[in-house]
Amino acid sequence: LFAGWTQNFGNTIILFHGQNVFSVYKHNLRNIVKENEFVTLGQVIALVGNTGEISSGPHLHFEIWKNNTPVDPLVYIKM
């Protein structure tokens, strides 16, 4: 859905998974995928980084949203 730069979060990717579910990846060193590109399970989409004004060091800022509300990612991630 989105792969680009934001001032606060640097290189950011937003993926749409269907059923109004989105995943967000912020502070990437480099986005590998392009905006509106289809991705597959296990595909590398970005490199962990430290971009954006509010980053405090290399890390991945990861979010899951459903129906415009943030949700616990563990509901969607199989461990």
Side-chain angles (χ1 to χ4, degrees):
L1 180 65
F2 175 80
W5 178 266
T6 66
Q7 193 69 29
N8 285 338
F9 301 110
N11 290 315
T12 300
I13 293 175
I14 302 173
L15 300 180
F16 174 62
H17 300 275
Q19 299 179 348
N20 211 19
V21 176
F22 299 84
S23 57
V24 183
Y25 309 80
K26 300 176 180 177
H27 305 297
N28 308 324
L29 173 67
R30 183 170 56 115
N31 293 341
I32 305 295
V33 297
K34 306 283 188 246
E35 189 164 300
N36 293 317
E37 180 180 335
F38 286 95
V39 300
T40 58
L41 181 65
Q43 180 179 345
V44 175
I45 62 170
L47 303 178
V48 172
N50 183 27
T51 60
E53 289 184 356
I54 62 172
S55 184
S56 59
H59 70 287
L60 171 64
H61 183 130
F62 174 70
E63 303 172 3
I64 301 259
W65 288 71
K66 183 171 185 175
N67 298 322
N68 298 319
T69 303
V71 296
D72 182 354
L74 293 179
V75 172
Y76 294 93
I77 297 173
K78 296 178 183 177
M79 302 292 265

